[in-house]
Amino acid sequence: MITVRDKDFEVYYTAEQINSKIEALVKELEHDYKNSTPIFLGILNGCFMFVSDLLKSYQNACEVGFIKATSYEGMQSTGKVTFSGMEHLNIENRDVIIVEDIVDTGNTLKALDKFLVSYKPKSVKVCTLLFKREAYKQELPIDYVCFEVDNKFLLGYGLDYDGLGRNLPEVYILNE
Ligand code: IMP
Ligand code: MG
């Protein structure tokens, strides 16, 4: 059990469990992209640890890029999401694999999918460490998932609580 600011969290997935899921997922990706040099597109900040471990395992030719998602929460819960950093990337006619730490409502992903269209990728698939299927409100398929998780607040391995906890090597769940 750990305490971050005012909240207690307990281990949900150990570093070992995460690594073995990543190994299995990488085998699938290597198979699916054996005739391609895909671009892994990480969505900052949360994705950094997942991208790092995923690509250390991935043995085939690939490229990696990052863009930053910023969401503005309005009065409604439908926050507007914007992206920055795309000026450094060329994804035209390339196979893109979006890499996310977590897909929750899917708002970020929906906005990203729409945003990427004008850059003319050949294909776009989604790879996420964690997927809150119960909270997901979009139609867009989530192609690669390490863990389907409960609709509870998670922390660690890239995910933060008020800016803290991203450095934890395990995934934690809020102890309520
Ligand atoms: P969305 O609702 O799918 O757009 O998720 C947006 C973002 O909310 C994710 O990329 C995370 O940064 C954050 N998020 C969603 N669920 C959690 C959680 O359980 N812990 C920490 N951050 C979360
Ligand atoms: Mg995120």
Side-chain angles (χ1 to χ4, degrees):
M1 184 114 106
I2 57 161
T3 303
V4 176
R5 296 211 195 277
D6 54 334
K7 302 259 192 278
D8 295 329
F9 294 86
E10 54 190 316
V11 174
Y12 197 48
Y13 298 119
T14 63
E16 217 168 46
Q17 287 173 310
I18 295 167
N19 283 335
S20 72
K21 278 283 183 191
I22 290 176
E23 292 290 322
L25 185 79
V26 163
K27 289 211 167 65
E28 217 182 309
L29 287 166
E30 285 173 345
H31 172 266
D32 293 355
Y33 288 87
K34 62 178 179 293
N35 298 317
S36 171
T37 301
I39 300 179
F40 288 90
L41 183 62
I43 312 307
L44 294 169
N45 291 327
C47 73
F48 74 95
M49 214 177 266
F50 183 39
V51 169
S52 172
D53 285 343
L54 190 75
L55 294 194
K56 277 187 277 181
S57 289
Y58 193 83
Q59 300 284 311
N60 299 340
C62 66
E63 292 180 37
V64 59
F66 295 92
I67 57 176
K68 188 166 170 59
T70 308
S71 60
Y72 301 92
E73 291 295 332
M75 302 298 283
Q76 312 289 311
S77 62
T78 51
K80 185 183 180 321
V81 187
T82 59
F83 300 95
S84 55
M86 207 50 207
E87 61 276 18
H88 307 298
L89 293 165
N90 181 6
I91 62 166
E92 193 172 333
N93 204 29
R94 299 292 301 273
D95 292 317
V96 173
I97 304 164
I98 294 168
V99 186
E100 269 280 23
D101 50 345
I102 187 162
V103 175
D104 184 5
T105 63
N107 283 340
T108 308
L109 210 54
K110 176 85 187 299
L112 179 60
D113 192 59
K114 217 170 140 198
F115 171 78
L116 291 180
V117 170
S118 64
Y119 297 92
K120 300 186 171 65
K122 183 173 158 195
S123 71
V124 178
K125 299 266 178 171
V126 180
C127 173
T128 187
L129 179 79
L130 305 166
F131 180 32
K132 290 186 184 172
R133 185 180 288 279
E134 247 177 78
Y136 192 61
K137 294 198 186 82
Q138 306 297 338
E139 308 274 282
L140 199 73
I142 309 299
D143 307 282
Y144 302 96
V145 176
C146 282
F147 300 101
E148 277 193 19
V149 296
D150 293 337
N151 195 5
K152 304 247 172 75
F153 191 80
L154 303 176
L155 176 79
Y157 199 79
L159 291 103
D160 73 302
Y161 168 50
D162 201 12
L164 296 178
R166 293 192 194 275
N167 56 315
L168 296 163
E170 307 85 12
V171 172
Y172 288 77
I173 191 165
L174 181 64
N175 195 355
E176 287 171 303

